[in-house]
Amino acid sequence: AMLAALGALAVAAVLTYRRGSGIWFAALAGLASSGAAISARAAQLAMPSGALELVRTARQPLVWAIVGFGVLTAVTYARALERAAVGPATAVLSVVDVIVPAAIGLVVLHDVVRGGWAPAAVVATVAALGACVVLAMRPAEEQVQGAAAVVA
């Protein structure tokens, strides 16, 4: 399933490479990064104690999915930065990279929040996402101009 998701995201990136917006590519980067995280969680990785363990690890499709998702994350995020300001692009990537793996973990993989910690988890997630939105909306140019005025 993860290799199929990787293929679908790669096809989407290729088909929209010329016309896609920066925010679109930031979302793709966030999905690709989420794919790497989910693949890493599902892969059976052992500390290589010898050549045989290294070969066993390298034979796992999920290991190659992690690599593929990592490359796709880098390419789509770079494209996002070519098309959009760094703040909004990074915010979109970060939000997607928080929400998607958490939702898949809870719904598909049946992860649970430690007893009594659900409210704290919700507050922390909302705070992190809110911070991403605030940073995305803050113009970087004002910060640079303000710093230049202080120096001058």
Side-chain angles (χ1 to χ4, degrees), residues 35-52:
I38 294 163
S39 296
R41 184 182 183 279
Q44 301 296 319
L45 303 176
M47 290 300 294
S49 56
L52 185 57

Side-chain angles (χ1 to χ4, degrees), residues 54 88 121 147:
L54 188 58

Side-chain angles (χ1 to χ4, degrees), residues 25-68:
F25 281 103
L28 285 178
L31 289 171
S33 181
S34 297
I38 294 163
S39 296
R41 184 182 183 279
Q44 301 296 319
L45 303 176
M47 290 300 294
S49 56
L52 185 57
E53 275 302 312
L54 188 58
V55 169
R56 284 186 186 150
T57 299
R59 285 180 153 174
Q60 293 185 57
L62 285 175
V63 170
W64 293 103
I66 295 166
V67 172

Side-chain angles (χ1 to χ4, degrees), residues 1-148:
M2 295 310 295
L3 290 175
L6 173 60
L9 287 175
V11 167
V14 168
L15 291 177
T16 60
Y17 193 79
R18 289 181 184 237
R19 288 176 282 189
S21 71
I23 299 305
W24 165 254
F25 281 103
L28 285 178
L31 289 171
S33 181
S34 297
I38 294 163
S39 296
R41 184 182 183 279
Q44 301 296 319
L45 303 176
M47 290 300 294
S49 56
L52 185 57
E53 275 302 312
L54 188 58
V55 169
R56 284 186 186 150
T57 299
R59 285 180 153 174
Q60 293 185 57
L62 285 175
V63 170
W64 293 103
I66 295 166
V67 172
F69 280 121
V71 169
L72 187 60
T73 299
V75 169
T76 52
Y77 184 55
R79 187 63 170 169
L81 294 176
E82 290 176 347
R83 302 264 175 145
V86 68
T90 303
V92 168
L93 182 147
S94 297
V95 167
V96 171
D97 198 23
V98 167
I99 296 295
V100 171
I104 289 174
L106 291 170
V107 176
V108 177
L109 302 174
H110 307 293
D111 289 348
V112 294
V113 176
R114 184 168 40 163
W117 283 84
V122 169
V123 169
T125 301
V126 169
L129 296 176
C132 287
V133 171
V134 168
L135 289 173
M137 304 302 275
R138 186 171 180 173
E141 293 81 20
E142 286 181 13
Q143 294 172 343
V144 173
Q145 290 172 355

